[in-house]
Amino acid sequence: QKEVEQDPGPLSVPEGAIVSLNCTYSNSAFQYFMWYRQYSRKGPELLMYTYSSGNKEDGRFTAQVDKSSKYISLFIRDSQPSDSATYLCAMKAAGGSYIPTFGRGTSLIVHP
Amino acid sequence: NAGVTQTPKFQVLKTGQSMTLQCAQDMNHEYMSWYRQDPGMGLRLIHYSVGAGITDQGEVPNGYNVSRSTTEDFPLRLLSAAPSQTSVYFCASSPESGNTIYFGEGSWLTVV
């Protein structure tokens, strides 16, 4: 079992839908949780970053962490075709190595 | 507003040739790293550095060499290219906290 699991998709939704992207993990030491968006033939870009449990909102994006279930989510409201990309989760323990553990990414397609 | 700059963007090599992928960052980040990304495999860490003069191996270091003589630069050397090294390579940098990572635009390498 990989340390971080992420369904590769593709996830196809109509424009305007609410999208839920998820990752599960096994390492209870993870404290920092990140979401990256990667457009085709581009480098990943940091979308959101949260520490420990709870929610964080940024415009149409909400990141949610449930440490008791070892489950994180990224919600996209009012999805747009421009949201079509691969979304990677990443997580890291506090202190120690700075190297995060990445999920393999979920491909999202938002069709008009 | 350069961030992390990688060159070249595209390269075709013959088996056995050597080459260097260049990476430079202008954010004064201590931590830099190289990843390769292959379909279905996600991001895999090749080598990383926690500061000038300090490098360490990641998950898939074989066939690659790195050095870090300055804070800004972190070149990746392919010693004797093999078709298995056909991939897209991403350089990344991170501040000391390591909680956010900034990626370059990628270098697409084909070994024939």
Side-chain angles (χ1 to χ4, degrees):
Chain A
Q1 180 191 9
K2 281 183 65 67
E3 214 169 7
V4 177
E5 298 280 359
Q6 189 175 9
D7 188 329
L11 176 62
S12 182
V13 301
E15 183 176 356
I18 296 174
V19 175
S20 172
L21 302 165
N22 311 297
C23 288
T24 59
Y25 63 95
S26 56
N27 188 344
S28 58
F30 288 147
Q31 296 272 17
Y32 297 94
F33 303 92
M34 294 152 273
W35 285 97
Y36 287 82
R37 177 175 60 195
Q38 184 176 20
Y39 291 116
S40 179
R41 305 190 74 77
K42 294 287 187 183
E45 57 176 331
L46 181 66
L47 197 57
M48 296 190 73
Y49 150 62
T50 55
Y51 171 71
S52 195
S53 284
N55 292 0
K56 184 174 184 178
E57 189 173 322
D58 184 0
R60 296 184 296 111
F61 299 88
T62 299
Q64 192 173 79
V65 175
D66 182 350
K67 291 188 68 182
S68 61
S69 302
K70 298 190 180 68
Y71 188 90
I72 68 170
S73 300
L74 178 70
F75 298 97
I76 307 175
R77 291 185 299 279
D78 187 25
S79 56
Q80 303 295 310
S82 58
D83 295 326
S84 298
T86 296
Y87 291 80
L88 299 96
C89 64
M91 41 199 84
K92 193 179 84 70
S97 170
Y98 93 106
I99 304 297
T101 301
F102 282 89
R104 294 187 177 183
T106 299
S107 174
L108 172 66
I109 301 168
V110 182
H111 51 86
Chain B
N1 198 22
V4 179
T5 303
Q6 292 182 232
T7 55
K9 193 166 181 69
F10 301 100
Q11 183 72 50
V12 178
L13 281 180
K14 293 182 178 178
T15 297
Q17 286 185 318
S18 62
M19 78 157 298
T20 299
L21 299 177
Q22 301 291 344
C23 176
Q25 54 96 3
D26 61 1
M27 297 174 282
N28 201 32
H29 287 166
E30 287 297 315
Y31 297 165
M32 296 187 74
S33 49
W34 277 100
Y35 292 85
R36 59 178 289 174
Q37 188 176 41
D38 302 288
M41 301 295 291
L43 288 164
R44 291 186 291 171
L45 182 66
I46 304 171
H47 284 286
Y48 66 99
S49 169
V50 298
I54 306 169
T55 63
D56 208 344
Q57 296 181 350
E59 182 185 355
V60 288
N62 292 340
Y64 307 95
N65 203 359
V66 293
S67 61
R68 183 97 179 270
S69 57
T70 67
T71 298
E72 294 78 20
D73 300 299
F74 191 44
L76 178 72
R77 297 181 188 84
L78 278 72
L79 308 173
S80 177
S84 61
Q85 293 179 303
T86 293
S87 187
V88 57
Y89 292 84
F90 290 103
C91 179
S93 75
S94 176
E96 189 172 340
S97 65
N99 300 328
T100 55
I101 295 181
Y102 299 86
F103 287 88
E105 289 288 277
S107 295
W108 273 256
L109 176 67
T110 301
V111 182
V112 297

